[in-house]
Amino acid sequence: MKQFQYVQPATQQAVLEVINKPGTKIIAGGTNLVDLMKRGVTAPDKLVDINHLPLKHITSTPKGLYIGALALNSVVSENKLVAEKQPLLAMALKSGASPQLRNMASVGGNMMQRTRCGYFYDTAMPCNKRVPGSGCGAYEGVNRMHAIFGASSQCIAVHPSDMCVALAALDAVVIIAGKKGEHRVPFTEFHRLPGDHPETDNNLPFGELIVGVEIPNNNLQKNSYYLKVRDRQSYAFALVSVAAALDIENGIIQNARLAMGGVAHKPWRLFDAEKLLIGKKASEESFQQAAQLAMQGAKAYGHNSFKLKLAPASITEALKHAAGLV
Amino acid sequence: MEKAININRPSSADGMSRIDGRLKVTGAAKYSAEYAVEGLTYGVLVGSAIAKGSIAAFDIKTAERAPGVLFVVTYLNAPKVPGFQPDQKGVRAQLKVFNDDKIFYNGQPIALVIADTYERALYGASLVKATYNKEEHQTNLTENFGKGYPPRGDGLYKRGTEDAWKSAPIKLEQEYMVPTNTHNPMELHAIIARWDADDKITVWDKTQGVKATQHDISQLFNIPLENVQVNSRFVGGAFGSALRTWPHEIVAILGAKAVKKPVKLVLSRADMFTSVGYRPHTWQKIGIGATADGKLTGITHQAYGQTSPYENFTEGAVNVSQSLYACPNVNTKYNLVALNVGTPTWMRGPGEATGAFALESALDELSYVLSIDPVELRLRNYAETDPENGKPFSSKYLKEAYQLGADHIGWNDRKQQPGTVKKDGWFVGYGIGCGMFGAYRSGATVKATMKADGTLHLQSAVSDIGPGTGTAMVLIAAEQMGMPADKISFENGASDLPQAPTQGGSATTASVGSAVHQACVELKDKIQKLTGNSGTDNPDYAQILKQHDLPLLEVTAKSTGGEGRDKYSMNSWSVHFVKVLVNGSTGVVKIDKVASVADCGTIISPKTARSQIVGGAIGGIGMALMEEAVIDHRYGRYINNNYADYHVPVNADIPQIDALFVNKPDPILNPMGAKGMAEIALVGMAAAVANAVYNATGKRVRELPITPDKVIA
């Protein structure tokens, strides 16, 4: 890989001073970045190590649950507060990557990880995300893992995270620090669709830093489930995943949260399907209706046509699990 | 000893643990890339970005100027390989790497960047630019059957009437596909090459056969055999990928010559897909016919397998149909299709595993048409002698194996009607698949040295790629010599040790083990001549050497092997029973239970034998459910060439796997009564899984791997 400078600024403020220049990359767990550097996909001049910053805490706040950006995926997945307040997040985290990777990967890094599209990683292949204007290798290529929602002719890659699917479903908020202070972005608006600029994965302003996420309190603990359908039972990206959480009273759905992974350039929240479920009986029939509605606008590209069948089946299956019907 | 063995959780009661286990788990075992050779430099390969054509020009200036880069080797400046020159005879067909500008496949090595560190070499490699004269390539097997050709002769085999299945009362014809599988052992292929003089070289190299590698290097570089030292003390898995000399080994040797320093070349995981062979993508069609009571009347088995443009690779894809069942009429056809891909090579169970997927799936399909239990159908067509040549089998206890496995998996719980059993929302199904592989033995020499302290040292050039060869050799000697195993050591994996065959084809224990056996017999003879008596059960060898004032006693014994092949058909046999759970909504398949039964003669080392069977079953599960190297045919380039995207099973995919052994000696093959087990551990497994998925769901998947999308299709 290209030789690079490695710095470890002492404070968050000092980090913000450094990352404001082109050619810098923040490194936390490095589970994705180092691969990208080895493959020549990215070649930063300077790596800014932030692992020592005090951003690892997981605390209960009046508004909800606060998780620092540097909290490790493994720590979050086994944290008592998380298990108690947001079990869906714990379940999603545990289905991601492998124990070894979760022990290195941070929450902020998980959000910043890049697509696993094979064309993106191979510098001999065209990829608009890697080299804008070079074309999308997957569009007419091998696209079994690719998007069925929100894609563009420029890019049909998917975001690979499981954690993010749960956070999108749970109305989390991303807390971002810049030189002018902190600001908050709804999780569902953090990642973006490819459009004409697939090189940009998310709306994190240049030179700013994710410091944490906050998940508002809810009544979804009892009936939540993260279903991940994949080619092997661990260390595999989702063909389709579903984060489902329900608030059920006397068999009637009071509140619902649904999001999908493995289907779009960002965690794919299913707002319309949620609305449909509210007031309905927690039954397979309701779940199938929601799943059908969720599939509106879906489009496949050849190898991933099976997702048009797998996705609704998975939504129904996840909701059945969440409702305790399995 | 002739009692069936069933090991699910090995304990000390199952015999000795592997002799190098401690070295391996503590990191003390040294693999090829780990030798700290003085003055070492580091090489990184650059692969072609097109699949066919030629190199128009190189731009290596930037790379040459990059920090730490010592040299950039290309065909333009590489030292010539004598063995590649047109007048050379006896050198096998192969990719003449760095010899000219020709490109045969995408990823073909076109340059080697050598630097003072690995990282700097890696960066240097990224700066090498090539332009190409591109030609139209072909990488799609199924679109190129028209270019198929028989590898030798007419590629046809016929017994009885051709296509007899067509006139059978019960018949079916189906197509089966095995995609490209890559060996992908944990240890990356690696070589350190050091020229000791103009005509003398030492390599530390991942190879399954140090003697074969020595021979190849000697021939290619035209240097005397004895001036080539090949070391391969430990091999971190290979499964066939290290059965031959590959281009990257030649490249490292060329690089070391160019920079006049030792060069270490460790392949990247991506290189592993294009540099060291693979199980070839193979299309098959089987027509099978039977009488209403399930007696097979005809099998027609055709296969098209891919190979490279510059070399034929052939394997026994259609052979199982010739010998596995008693069937009077069998005809087979085997064709190769040369595509713009690297040359395939043997991968565990090689062609037999590919062929058994088709044949054992077809037999299962037939069993449902006939409404005959699949085990019963196999029994009705049991071959008591080899139907291919009429010879008696040296040993065959497959019936016993069926019984052991069926009892163990709970075959009686299986319902003949698919899709009728559910547990916790998942469909439950059972499947069976059988395997066979020739039991081979070749010549080997072993040196045995009894030292003054009464310890015994055995030496053989043979590689130990992980099956526990050293452990088995020590156990054979311990039994013969009547001495404790912990007083016996085994040294292997270097070309200056006594002759041994390449470790492959499940033949090592039969071959090298026979030489160990012979060495012990000769050593005992010598001792007997000294003592004048026929010895005791536990002789005190130290005492005997002391009494006769001997510093040591040594013999070098040769075992020839191969006797009896004219009279007998020699094979190992296996049967795999699998219970699966299938989610009807998502198509996810979970293996619930496996019982793999092997008839591989006497079990010499129960613990490592179990590991072999379990490893083979896991390999078979990978082949069945997830393994597929995917090419984008527009570019002729792999797109999942890494461990994250090319899936092999992980712990979460693997349930309890029980290894069972019939454990009856083969009286012919060798004095230990042992037959090989590496291949049969995998052959038949993929079909067993596919058959179980069908039994669970009624969904027949004939194109591997059986991923969720195919189950719900």
Side-chain angles (χ1 to χ4, degrees):
Chain A
M1 61 182 80
K2 194 176 88 173
Q3 297 203 356
F4 57 87
Q5 217 191 343
Y6 167 86
V7 293
Q8 203 179 40
T11 62
Q12 183 174 312
Q13 202 52 41
V15 166
L16 289 170
E17 295 293 336
V18 181
I19 61 173
N20 206 14
K21 294 173 191 74
T24 56
K25 283 262 182 221
I26 291 171
I27 184 160
T31 58
N32 186 208
L33 180 61
V34 175
D35 276 351
L36 293 167
M37 290 169 68
K38 287 198 284 193
R39 298 286 298 264
V41 177
T42 187
D45 301 315
K46 187 181 278 187
L47 280 191
V48 184
D49 185 347
I50 60 164
N51 282 296
H52 56 289
L53 296 184
L55 299 172
K56 291 193 166 72
H57 50 292
I58 302 169
T59 49
S60 193
T61 69
K63 285 182 194 160
L65 184 69
Y66 182 94
I67 302 172
L70 287 171
L72 297 181
N73 286 190
S74 54
V75 170
V76 180
S77 73
E78 281 159 23
N79 180 277
K80 269 191 184 162
L81 278 175
V82 175
E84 191 187 299
K85 290 176 155 260
Q86 307 296 350
L88 179 65
L89 175 61
M91 203 174 174
L93 275 165
K94 281 178 184 162
S95 73
S98 66
Q100 295 91 331
L101 289 165
R102 296 199 293 270
N103 273 332
M104 288 300 291
S106 65
V107 166
N110 189 319
M111 291 163 62
M112 295 301 292
Q113 67 177 308
R114 311 215 60 188
T115 183
R116 260 52 177 200
C117 173
Y119 298 91
F120 176 66
Y121 280 78
D122 186 344
T123 53
M125 293 281 203
C127 172
N128 288 323
K129 187 181 272 301
R130 181 168 31 76
V131 181
S134 61
C136 174
Y139 196 84
E140 290 180 336
V142 180
N143 50 36
R144 181 170 175 267
M145 301 299 289
H146 289 72
I148 52 171
F149 290 110
S152 75
S153 59
Q154 298 283 303
C155 179
I156 59 170
V158 297
H159 194 262
S161 172
D162 293 297
M163 179 195 82
C164 293
V165 180
L167 288 175
L170 293 167
D171 290 327
V173 173
V174 187
I175 297 132
I176 295 169
K179 280 188 172 177
K180 292 176 192 158
E182 290 187 355
H183 62 105
R184 299 161 70 88
V185 174
F187 201 92
T188 48
E189 290 166 29
F190 180 81
H191 295 97
R192 57 185 296 285
L193 291 176
D196 290 336
H197 286 285
E199 71 279 10
T200 311
D201 293 349
N202 55 57
N203 295 313
L204 179 69
F206 177 71
E208 300 198 358
L209 178 72
I210 305 168
V211 292
V213 292
E214 195 167 60
I215 310 168
N217 289 325
N218 57 42
N219 292 318
L220 305 162
Q221 292 74 18
K222 259 195 281 178
N223 295 106
S224 69
Y225 195 81
Y226 188 78
L227 175 74
K228 184 174 182 182
V229 182
R230 45 185 154 176
D231 288 329
R232 68 177 162 193
Q233 296 309 306
S234 179
Y235 189 47
F237 294 101
L239 296 167
V240 166
S241 69
V242 181
L246 299 168
D247 177 5
I248 304 171
E249 264 176 46
N250 302 320
I252 303 299
I253 299 165
Q254 310 297 317
N255 205 345
R257 296 283 187 280
L258 268 179
M260 269 198 281
V263 294
H265 196 259
K266 60 186 281 187
W268 195 248
R269 180 80 180 260
L270 306 170
F271 291 108
D272 292 346
E274 290 172 7
K275 271 187 217 137
L276 180 142
L277 284 169
I278 294 170
K280 288 242 162 59
K281 212 175 135 210
S283 67
E284 181 157 0
E285 201 192 339
S286 316
F287 300 157
Q288 279 171 349
Q289 284 173 14
Q292 207 181 347
L293 182 63
M295 293 307 292
Q296 279 188 1
K299 182 185 176 204
Y301 297 87
H303 296 93
N304 68 349
S305 299
F306 72 94
K307 289 191 181 182
L308 301 179
K309 191 171 176 184
L310 180 60
S314 301
I315 293 170
T316 307
E317 185 83 357
L319 284 166
K320 278 166 70 183
H321 276 282
L325 299 183
V326 177
Chain B
M1 191 67 185
E2 291 180 30
K3 192 168 161 280
I5 300 176
N6 166 24
I7 311 176
N8 45 41
R9 292 194 194 284
S11 70
S12 56
D14 297 311
M16 195 169 75
S17 295
R18 62 178 71 226
I19 56 171
D20 48 8
R22 190 179 173 78
L23 292 176
K24 285 183 171 175
V25 299
T26 57
K30 234 178 188 183
Y31 294 84
S32 294
E34 298 182 314
Y35 286 83
V37 175
E38 205 189 324
L40 196 56
T41 64
Y42 301 82
V44 167
L45 288 176
V46 179
S48 150
I50 65 159
K52 190 183 177 189
S54 59
I55 298 163
F58 273 114
D59 178 3
I60 59 171
K61 284 201 187 77
T62 328
E64 282 176 327
R65 282 198 297 264
V69 171
L70 301 171
F71 199 74
V72 179
V73 194
T74 70
Y75 82 93
L76 293 168
N77 61 12
K80 289 288 162 211
V81 179
F84 287 169
Q85 303 321 306
D87 56 338
Q88 279 298 309
K89 291 197 178 71
V91 177
R92 65 181 293 173
Q94 59 190 295
L95 180 74
K96 292 181 177 176
V97 64
F98 288 8
N99 195 58
D100 56 33
D101 60 353
K102 297 278 176 298
I103 299 295
F104 296 100
Y105 67 92
N106 205 320
Q108 175 184 326
I110 57 167
L112 176 74
V113 176
I114 303 170
D116 57 351
T117 71
Y118 167 71
E119 288 77 10
R120 288 168 141 188
L122 188 61
Y123 181 55
S126 75
L127 302 173
V128 172
K129 303 286 174 241
T131 50
Y132 305 94
N133 301 309
K134 218 168 145 182
E135 293 170 34
E136 196 187 328
H137 65 263
Q138 298 294 335
T139 53
N140 194 333
L141 176 71
T142 52
E143 285 176 4
N144 286 282
F145 291 155
K147 294 180 181 148
Y149 59 92
R152 45 183 171 262
D154 56 8
L156 303 174
Y157 165 88
K158 193 178 86 173
R159 171 167 91 228
T161 311
E162 189 169 327
D163 293 340
W165 68 274
K166 285 182 178 166
S167 44
I170 309 292
K171 64 192 166 187
L172 60 90
E173 185 178 38
Q174 288 296 350
E175 294 176 12
Y176 303 89
M177 186 77 84
V178 175
T180 293
N181 284 185
T182 51
H183 308 74
N184 261 317
M186 190 79 86
E187 183 202 17
L188 298 163
H189 278 245
I191 177 170
I192 295 172
R194 181 184 72 195
W195 287 90
D196 301 313
D198 282 348
D199 64 345
K200 197 165 186 294
I201 188 167
T202 303
V203 296
W204 292 261
D205 187 19
K206 175 169 183 155
T207 171
Q208 292 176 241
V210 290
K211 292 284 192 184
T213 303
Q214 180 193 33
H215 174 263
D216 285 348
I217 293 173
S218 158
Q219 263 203 334
L220 284 164
F221 290 90
N222 193 24
I223 46 183
L225 197 68
E226 61 275 17
N227 283 6
V228 180
Q229 175 64 30
V230 180
N231 302 313
S232 200
R233 177 70 184 89
F234 287 96
V235 177
F239 315 113
S241 62
L243 277 170
R244 60 171 289 187
T245 305
W246 293 108
H248 75 273
E249 291 162 279
I250 297 166
V251 162
I253 293 169
L254 286 178
K257 188 154 218 168
V259 296
K260 299 188 168 62
K261 283 178 181 169
V263 168
K264 171 154 91 177
L265 173 56
V266 182
L267 295 186
S268 68
R269 188 54 69 184
D271 290 336
M272 295 283 284
F273 284 73
T274 50
S275 307
V276 291
Y278 53 88
R279 187 192 303 287
H281 186 185
T282 303
W283 172 93
Q284 300 174 80
K285 189 191 249 184
I286 289 198
I288 189 164
T291 61
D293 62 351
K295 291 288 271 183
L296 293 177
T297 57
I299 303 173
T300 297
H301 188 165
Q302 303 176 57
Y304 283 82
Q306 72 179 40
T307 191
S308 69
Y310 49 87
E311 197 174 357
N312 284 346
F313 170 76
T314 64
E315 57 179 6
V318 295
N319 296 9
V320 283
S321 289
Q322 296 164 12
S323 290
L324 193 50
Y325 297 107
C327 178
N329 308 298
V330 175
N331 56 300
T332 67
K333 175 184 167 186
Y334 179 58
N335 269 229
L336 295 182
V337 178
L339 300 173
N340 293 104
V341 292
T343 309
T345 193
W346 298 278
M347 177 166 161
R348 195 171 192 177
E352 283 75 356
T354 298
F357 168 64
L359 177 65
E360 289 295 276
S361 291
L363 206 72
D364 198 67
E365 300 203 41
L366 189 67
S367 78
Y368 287 93
V369 179
L370 289 160
S371 289
I372 296 175
D373 178 284
V375 177
E376 174 59 25
L377 180 61
R378 283 164 175 80
L379 288 170
R380 286 187 196 178
N381 294 285
Y382 196 81
E384 297 288 357
T385 56
D386 190 337
E388 201 275 307
N389 50 33
K391 290 178 191 169
F393 293 115
S394 60
S395 62
K396 182 181 181 183
Y397 299 104
L398 192 52
K399 271 185 190 163
E400 284 86 337
Y402 289 150
Q403 193 62 52
L404 278 169
D407 290 348
H408 201 77
I409 200 82
W411 189 255
N412 285 339
D413 295 336
R414 173 189 175 274
K415 301 280 176 272
Q416 181 76 11
Q417 182 66 32
T420 49
V421 185
K422 263 194 156 180
K423 186 189 157 201
D424 302 331
W426 293 65
F427 289 105
V428 181
Y430 295 81
I432 174 180
C434 295
M436 69 178 291
F437 199 83
Y440 301 104
R441 171 182 170 187
S442 49
T445 303
V446 163
K447 185 174 174 186
T449 309
M450 180 65 76
K451 296 183 181 163
D453 61 0
T455 59
L456 179 66
H457 188 58
L458 304 168
Q459 292 171 299
S460 162
V462 72
S463 291
D464 184 348
I465 61 171
T469 297
T471 310
M473 297 307 113
V474 164
L475 285 168
I476 289 168
E479 179 162 336
Q480 280 309 305
M481 299 302 293
M483 63 189 285
D486 61 8
K487 288 195 167 182
I488 305 172
S489 53
F490 183 72
E491 183 185 354
N492 71 298
S495 59
D496 53 356
L497 294 173
Q499 172 65 36
T502 295
Q503 181 159 69
S506 305
T508 302
T509 300
S511 308
V512 184
S514 294
V516 168
H517 186 277
Q518 183 62 28
C520 292
V521 167
E522 291 178 19
L523 197 58
K524 280 195 295 186
D525 270 357
K526 265 196 176 179
I527 291 165
Q528 211 174 309
K529 276 178 191 140
L530 288 174
T531 58
N533 64 42
S534 57
T536 58
D537 280 348
N538 297 297
D540 184 344
Y541 292 117
Q543 188 62 27
I544 295 168
L545 263 69
K546 197 176 170 192
Q547 276 167 4
H548 295 84
D549 199 21
L550 289 169
L552 52 82
L553 258 180
E554 62 179 37
V555 299
T556 298
K558 195 171 174 182
S559 152
T560 50
E563 298 91 349
R565 199 157 291 280
D566 50 337
K567 293 196 199 104
Y568 296 94
S569 170
M570 305 187 196
N571 305 275
S572 293
W573 310 89
S574 63
V575 55
H576 308 278
F577 287 88
V578 175
K579 181 185 177 193
V580 298
L581 304 173
V582 184
N583 188 303
S585 308
T586 61
V588 169
V589 177
K590 283 186 190 169
I591 308 288
D592 190 55
K593 198 175 174 186
V594 173
S596 279
V597 197
D599 163 22
C600 48
T602 301
I603 298 304
I604 288 169
S605 171
K607 271 193 185 176
T608 54
R610 173 189 180 273
S611 288
Q612 279 270 63
I613 296 299
V614 170
I618 293 170
I621 290 169
M623 181 182 179
L625 296 184
M626 53 193 90
E627 292 193 51
E628 180 178 15
V630 180
I631 286 185
D632 182 331
H633 294 300
R634 296 172 303 167
Y635 305 97
R637 196 166 168 91
Y638 287 108
I639 57 126
N640 63 338
N641 52 359
N642 60 74
Y643 256 171
D645 297 322
Y646 181 92
H647 295 150
V648 297
V650 295
N651 282 326
D653 299 296
I654 301 304
Q656 180 70 46
I657 293 177
D658 286 359
L660 298 101
F661 300 98
V662 177
N663 194 30
K664 287 188 178 171
D666 183 292
I668 309 295
L669 184 67
N670 59 62
M672 295 85 64
K675 300 190 284 191
M677 65 177 73
E679 323 298 332
I680 54 156
L682 191 146
V683 180
M685 185 66 192
V689 174
N691 295 342
V693 169
Y694 179 78
N695 183 244
T697 62
K699 182 82 192 175
R700 176 67 64 181
V701 181
R702 302 183 182 92
E703 188 167 333
L704 295 179
I706 308 168
T707 44
D709 47 317
K710 291 178 190 163
V711 177
I712 59 165

